[in-house]
Amino acid sequence: MRRLSSYRVAAIAGVAASAMLLTACGSDTETTPPQASGSAGSPSSSSAAGSDLKIGLAYDIGGRGDKSFNDSAAAGLDEAKKKYNLDDSDVKEIEATQGEAEADKEARLSQLADNGFNTILAVGFAYANAIKAVVPKYPNVKFAIVDDQSVQAPNLANLTFAEEQGSFLVGAIAALKSKKHHVGFIGGVNVSLIQKFQVGFEAGAKAADPSVKLESKYLTQPPDFGGFNDPTKGETAANGIYDAGADVIFAAAGGSGSGVFKAAKAKNALAIGTDSDQYQSAADDVKDVVISSMLKRVDVSVSKFIESVADGSFKAGNTVFDLKAGGVDYSLSGGKIDDIKAKVDEFKAKIIDGSITVPTK
């Protein structure tokens, strides 16, 4: 998310600069088949092709272990490590820190390139300015950035998602599961990317229940991006929305979602996670309140990017991972929404075939 979003980089030193994977037009869509847990191939396949891979991954705030956006990216990296038999010397992971200066992001990416990592992936739109400054200095390095297409370069792949489509589905889930016809949305940071989550969620809720009442709250305003990793703020905001009458909340707030789940448990209410399947990662004492998650398959985008560098098919520009491509979806873990799955899948099919166009603003 970020991501608000759910879930790195790879480049071969000998790959010609003209070989590129991700489509150059913002409207093009990568046709990635849906996957339940981010599989990118068998560990033994293409090991020779990936023998020169040196992957550097720069995480957003929260890093590996946030049980959301960054962890989804980490899963994609882990798949690549297995697929191409990479060891610790072939991979470097570095994490952003709260309140860091723009120069710190630039230094992080430059450090990876200077140390021989020929494939570098920046996880999150917060790296956009750093990518713009660093990428031209290393034309022989393949870069990728998740959640941003504002920067274009011959050696840069932009990995973006149709978050509004997956959010529409969990909006329908929230409305169909609400006993009070009253649901809420919590965004980590009030930026255009997270607004796509909100707009899609509200459209889905209204489609499933035109009479539903909607609440919304953002945890922080830019340039403060701490809302993506502040469970206390998430819990406080959720308590306010539950107290206002909602009984289901969709949290598009990264690591702050754990606070929303805690509030849901205390209020005898329900919650929906984001990016990764947060039923699987939630603490045992709150797991039962997580009825679904909006899956943002950052792991798929990372795996596909690394694969493209390894096999020489890298292309610069934007690839949109949408419902049709398996880039977004919803989770079924816990069996909490089995009774409404058919209805949700009707909405899903209509989005894929174009019968429903989900708004983004």
Side-chain angles (χ1 to χ4, degrees), residues 21 23 29 40 52 62 81 84 122 125 129 156 183 208-209 226 231-232 246 250 255-256 273 289 294 303 306 308 327:
L21 155 68
T23 53
T29 301
D52 294 328
K81 289 170 67 176
Y84 299 110
F125 63 82
N129 289 335
L156 174 65
V183 302
D209 178 5
T232 300
F250 172 38
S256 300
V289 305
M294 196 289 276
S303 296
I306 294 173
S308 76

Side-chain angles (χ1 to χ4, degrees), residues 62-337:
R64 183 188 281 265
D66 73 343
K67 300 181 180 180
S68 184
F69 180 75
N70 288 298
D71 270 356
S72 186
L77 176 63
D78 291 343
E79 285 292 338
K81 289 170 67 176
K82 294 176 183 177
K83 182 174 183 178
Y84 299 110
N85 297 317
L86 303 177
D87 59 32
D88 290 343
S89 66
D90 298 319
V91 177
K92 179 70 173 179
E93 301 173 60
I94 309 180
E95 177 182 332
T97 58
Q98 177 64 36
E100 69 181 9
E102 198 65 46
D104 295 325
K105 292 182 174 63
E106 293 182 23
R108 183 175 302 119
L109 298 178
S110 296
Q111 175 189 348
L112 291 169
D114 290 338
N115 286 326
F117 292 93
N118 51 24
T119 318
I120 298 171
L121 193 144
V123 183
F125 63 82
Y127 280 99
N129 289 335
I131 282 286
K132 184 177 182 179
V134 172
V135 166
K137 300 176 183 178
Y138 302 93
N140 295 323
V141 174
K142 297 295 188 295
F143 289 86
I145 182 170
V146 176
D147 280 349
D148 180 79
Q149 58 176 311
S150 66
V151 183
Q152 302 288 313
N155 57 330
L156 174 65
N158 309 86
L159 312 178
T160 63
F161 299 81
E163 293 93 353
E164 73 281 358
Q165 294 182 354
S167 297
F168 183 102
L169 299 181
V170 297
I173 289 168
L176 292 169
K177 280 296 182 180
S178 175
K179 296 179 180 179
K180 298 180 177 180
H181 303 279
H182 193 166
V183 302
F185 170 84
I186 291 178
V189 182
N190 191 4
V191 292
S192 59
L193 176 65
I194 306 306
Q195 291 166 11
K196 286 173 64 181
F197 286 80
Q198 180 185 356
V199 170
F201 173 77
E202 292 179 349
K206 285 288 188 182
D209 178 5
S211 67
V212 73
K213 185 175 180 180
L214 302 166
E215 306 280 348
S216 64
K217 174 72 175 179
Y218 286 89
L219 302 183
T220 62
Q221 303 291 324
D224 180 0
F225 291 95
F228 290 133
N229 194 37
D230 193 330
T232 300
K233 278 193 171 90
E235 182 179 3
T236 299
N239 280 330
I241 291 177
Y242 289 131
D243 288 343
D247 57 354
V248 186
I249 291 176
F250 172 38
S256 300
S258 62
V260 176
F261 304 156
K262 185 177 179 181
K265 183 69 173 182
K267 299 291 185 180
N268 195 28
L270 301 173
I272 296 172
T274 195
D275 294 336
S276 302
D277 182 351
Q278 294 194 295
Y279 175 88
Q280 300 293 344
S281 60
D284 289 342
D285 60 336
V286 300
K287 190 182 292 287
D288 61 321
V289 305
V290 184
I291 60 173
S292 184
S293 295
M294 196 289 276
L295 301 177
K296 180 172 174 177
R297 301 304 302 273
V298 180
D299 57 329
V300 171
S301 71
V302 168
S303 296
K304 295 297 289 184
F305 169 70
I306 294 173
E307 179 183 308
S308 76
V309 178
D311 66 17
S313 62
F314 171 87
K315 291 183 181 179
N318 190 44
T319 294
V320 180
F321 292 83
D322 61 6
L323 266 177
K324 185 176 181 180
V328 294
D329 211 329
Y330 71 98
S331 67
L332 289 161
S333 296
K336 305 289 185 179
I337 59 170

